[in-house]
Amino acid sequence: AREGRGAAAAGGSGDTGSAMDAPSAAGLGGADPQLQRFIEVETQKQRFQQLVHQMTELCWEKCMDKPGPKLDSRAETCFVNCVERFIDTSQFILNRLEQTQKSKSAFSESLSD
């Protein structure tokens, strides 16, 4: 179950506004669907890499007191908890954004009626 949440979090979060996001979608309106799909996949890969980088930086700072040849049990437990909380938080934020968008859509539809 943990993997599924991680994949969902990785797939949607990371809207940090890379240079490739908006221009690629807007500039390829009539382009080859295969090219569009390739760009979507590459964008998802980039978002996933950004997410992993953020998580690694955060958890390293939080859990690594002194680097050594191997992790002690305290640091290992800290890393596991840190990663799980990062994924949970990312998923919570995604769900919250979806709810906000749905409520805005419902509100704007009710105004147009």
Side-chain angles (χ1 to χ4, degrees):
R2 178 74 49 202
E3 293 85 18
R5 290 190 354 221
S13 90
D15 283 316
T16 56
S18 73
M20 200 172 154
D21 288 84
S24 64
L28 294 173
D32 179 18
Q34 191 173 13
L35 178 60
Q36 286 180 331
R37 180 67 186 139
F38 174 77
I39 290 173
E40 288 173 13
V41 168
E42 291 302 311
T43 302
Q44 288 290 0
K45 287 180 188 178
Q46 180 185 22
R47 288 180 179 169
F48 180 75
Q49 289 173 344
Q50 287 173 341
L51 189 66
V52 169
H53 179 72
Q54 289 174 329
M55 185 175 51
T56 301
E57 186 176 343
L58 176 77
C59 294
W60 183 268
E61 291 295 321
K62 186 173 192 66
C63 298
M64 268 323 269
D65 294 332
K66 50 183 188 255
K70 63 181 185 176
L71 292 177
D72 61 6
S73 62
R74 187 202 64 78
E76 186 175 352
T77 301
C78 180
F79 275 114
V80 168
N81 288 333
C82 181
V83 169
E84 288 179 353
R85 296 302 71 78
F86 188 91
I87 291 170
D88 290 343
T89 302
S90 298
Q91 188 62 45
F92 174 80
I93 291 169
L94 283 174
N95 291 339
R96 185 74 174 148
L97 288 172
E98 286 176 6
Q99 289 173 353
T100 303
Q101 283 184 331
K102 286 178 184 175
S103 65
K104 283 183 182 178
S105 295
F107 180 72
S108 64
E109 286 177 14
S110 68
L111 287 178
S112 64
D113 288 343

